[in-house]
Amino acid sequence: MKQVYLDNNATTIVDPLVKQAMDPFFCQMFGNPNSLHRFGTETHPEMALALDRLYAGIGAGDDDDILINGCATEGNNTVLKSVFWDIISRTEKKRIITTQIEHPAVLHTCQFLEEKGAEVVYLPVNDEGIVTPEILRAELDPEKTALVSIMWANNETGLINPLKELAEMTKAAGALFHSDAVQAIGKIPVNVQDVPVDFLTFSAHKFHGPKGIGGLYIRSGVELVPLLHGGEQMGGLRAGTINVAFMVAMGLAMEIAVDALEYEDREVRRLRDKLEDALLALPDVDIIGKRELRTPNTILASFKGIEGEAFLWDLNTKGVAASTGSACSSEDLQADATFQAMNVDADLAHTGVRFSLSRFTTEDEIDYTIGVIKETVTRLRTISSTY
Ligand code: C6P
């Protein structure tokens, strides 16, 4: 049976070129980069190249930092907890402003910090699912705000926030600005020269790198309290032996992903729109968020009267992999808030299915998926009207 993978917002296939680039670091160049002998030092040029590629990919300056870490969840935790320890617990600035639509890696960390004494404001979105500067302005008290954390693009809807305006407004109020850019890298341009973020998180497995490696950008001059102590790696900001193979892989994956942005915007968007048009031609199907406001690869569709999980199960038996939303928040605040914020009624919220494409998705796969969806929708609606 044909297998079609349309869950690229959960994770992506590793690009074969990226996989190949990792190979030498397991059995040949396997030294610890902190060792002084040849096995250690011979990894340094490869690590430097990887860092150069990461810096170039997001437009970071030479004086900025990019910490290599385990994943975006770690990056998000590091920023929020660092600001808590460095500012919130020591000054009158107790407020973190975030949004209701963040990933649990931000939401759950904020909830934890609230218990420790932080004041957290969870911004709503407008009726298009966007966090606008006006929404932020209402809560951005310069006397109270330590940090604003707003995702670049939402993982469930693909909706893109106006990051430049949000970051500029935050900086003007004297607060730090963090963005979880996990779903933006490799889908739309992300450049820290254009957008004055202080911190930015990303994760290699969302742009055809391996799982278990990510990056945290820190603007030059911005303080960070380490989450992990115990070594001098990453200038003492993140202790622990660096996974050289994965770091090299992430650097190459970033370079390829950024080079492929034009393809993403043209071809991935074309295939996404083809699928979306086919969905909209079916009765009682809604798509969440205007397509021009979304990343080019994402559709969150609601099929009235069909329970999302039942639908997914049927698609799965025909070889099509999609999801009901975020792989780690189907039951909680993020999924609910996204729907609530956009005035999607509760019934519809249980019928949401996310299709997320990548540059590896083919036209043939989309055509097959359209056929499978038509058949599945008809069958499931017939069953539900019979019983
Ligand atoms: N979202 C999804 O299905 P990690 O796995 O820690 O590298 O990434 C976590 C993460 C953080 N922020 C955003 C915006 C994300 O989308 C994710 C991962 C997946 O939507 C899995 S829950």
Side-chain angles (χ1 to χ4, degrees):
M1 187 178 43
K2 204 173 177 62
Q3 298 292 328
V4 183
Y5 184 75
L6 293 179
D7 198 11
N8 287 281
N9 285 7
T11 197
T12 57
I13 186 172
V14 175
D15 187 316
L17 289 173
V18 170
K19 180 168 176 282
Q20 202 184 346
M22 284 193 270
D23 259 11
F25 298 92
F26 293 104
C27 298
Q28 295 148 41
M29 299 169 75
F30 58 84
N32 184 325
N34 290 88
S35 297
L36 296 179
H37 48 66
R38 181 182 66 79
F39 288 92
T41 55
E42 70 182 357
T43 62
H44 293 182
E46 302 294 335
M47 291 168 72
L49 175 62
L51 268 185
D52 284 349
R53 288 171 161 160
L54 295 173
Y55 274 67
I58 60 169
D62 287 347
D63 295 335
D64 299 337
D65 261 328
I66 294 182
L67 298 193
I68 305 302
N69 57 23
C71 55
T73 301
E74 183 186 329
N76 290 340
N77 267 265
T78 305
V79 171
L80 291 160
K81 289 173 183 169
S82 168
V83 171
F84 179 80
W85 286 317
D86 199 35
I87 304 175
I88 295 173
S89 65
R90 298 198 295 126
T91 73
E92 286 314 302
K93 290 190 171 190
K94 305 275 179 220
R95 184 176 290 182
I96 297 174
I97 302 178
T98 187
T99 79
Q100 295 170 6
I101 57 164
E102 299 298 311
H103 185 272
V106 169
L107 289 177
H108 291 183
T109 310
C110 282
Q111 286 160 359
F112 167 76
L113 294 177
E114 266 182 297
E115 288 166 18
K116 304 283 169 219
E119 181 210 340
V120 185
V121 177
Y122 300 91
L123 299 178
V125 290
N126 71 4
D127 55 9
E128 293 192 311
I130 304 290
V131 185
T132 63
E134 292 65 41
I135 293 174
L136 173 59
R137 188 177 288 117
E139 301 292 344
L140 191 57
D141 183 337
E143 303 292 312
K144 296 184 182 163
T145 311
L147 175 76
V148 175
S149 176
I150 301 180
M151 66 195 335
W152 204 301
N154 182 267
N155 50 315
E156 296 185 318
T157 60
L159 284 161
I160 302 164
N161 289 312
L163 250 277
K164 187 172 165 65
E165 291 88 331
L166 295 167
E168 282 173 355
M169 182 179 285
T170 301
K171 296 315 300 166
L176 291 165
F177 190 87
H178 164 243
S179 184
D180 174 343
V182 165
Q183 298 290 348
I185 302 266
K187 294 174 185 147
I188 54 172
V190 170
N191 191 309
V192 298
Q193 298 297 328
D194 300 338
V195 181
V197 294
D198 294 298
F199 303 106
L200 181 114
T201 40
F202 57 89
S203 191
H205 73 105
K206 308 290 186 178
F207 52 91
H208 304 290
K211 294 166 199 45
I213 187 111
L216 170 61
Y217 162 83
I218 307 162
R219 189 169 296 280
S220 167
V222 175
E223 294 293 319
L224 185 89
V225 182
L227 190 65
L228 303 183
H229 296 88
E232 284 310 307
Q233 295 90 350
M234 295 287 126
L237 290 177
R238 200 263 184 188
T241 306
I242 294 167
N243 186 334
V244 179
F246 284 15
M247 177 178 173
V248 167
M250 178 161 70
L252 182 59
M254 172 74 90
E255 184 172 87
I256 299 174
V258 171
D259 284 350
L261 277 177
E262 192 271 329
Y263 180 87
E264 184 87 17
D265 196 42
R266 181 172 42 79
E267 268 307 296
V268 177
R269 184 184 295 281
R270 185 181 69 76
L271 293 179
R272 190 275 307 265
D273 289 354
K274 183 174 187 178
L275 175 58
E276 188 162 328
D277 289 341
L279 297 181
L280 288 169
L282 297 170
D284 291 326
V285 175
D286 279 323
I287 307 286
I288 315 301
K290 288 185 183 150
R291 68 176 77 172
E292 63 276 16
L293 299 180
R294 281 183 268 132
T295 47
N297 78 319
T298 306
I299 300 172
L300 182 58
S302 152
F303 298 84
K304 195 164 189 223
I306 303 178
E307 220 255 312
E309 282 185 17
F311 192 29
L312 276 193
W313 176 249
D314 254 57
L315 293 183
N316 189 38
T317 61
K318 294 183 182 96
V320 176
S323 71
T324 47
S326 162
C328 29
S329 75
S330 48
E331 297 288 318
D332 77 14
L333 187 62
Q334 187 193 18
D336 287 351
T338 308
F339 286 113
Q340 271 170 26
M342 300 184 66
N343 295 322
V344 175
D345 70 47
D347 176 45
L348 242 60
H350 292 292
T351 63
V353 177
R354 179 182 72 180
F355 300 95
S356 47
L357 290 67
S358 82
R359 65 174 191 265
F360 287 86
T361 308
T362 65
E363 181 120 33
D364 190 40
E365 290 176 343
I366 292 298
D367 291 339
Y368 175 77
T369 302
I370 290 171
V372 167
I373 291 174
K374 280 183 183 163
E375 191 190 302
T376 307
V377 167
T378 312
R379 208 175 59 74
L380 291 177
R381 287 215 174 113
T382 312
I383 294 172
S384 70
S385 62
T386 313
Y387 297 100

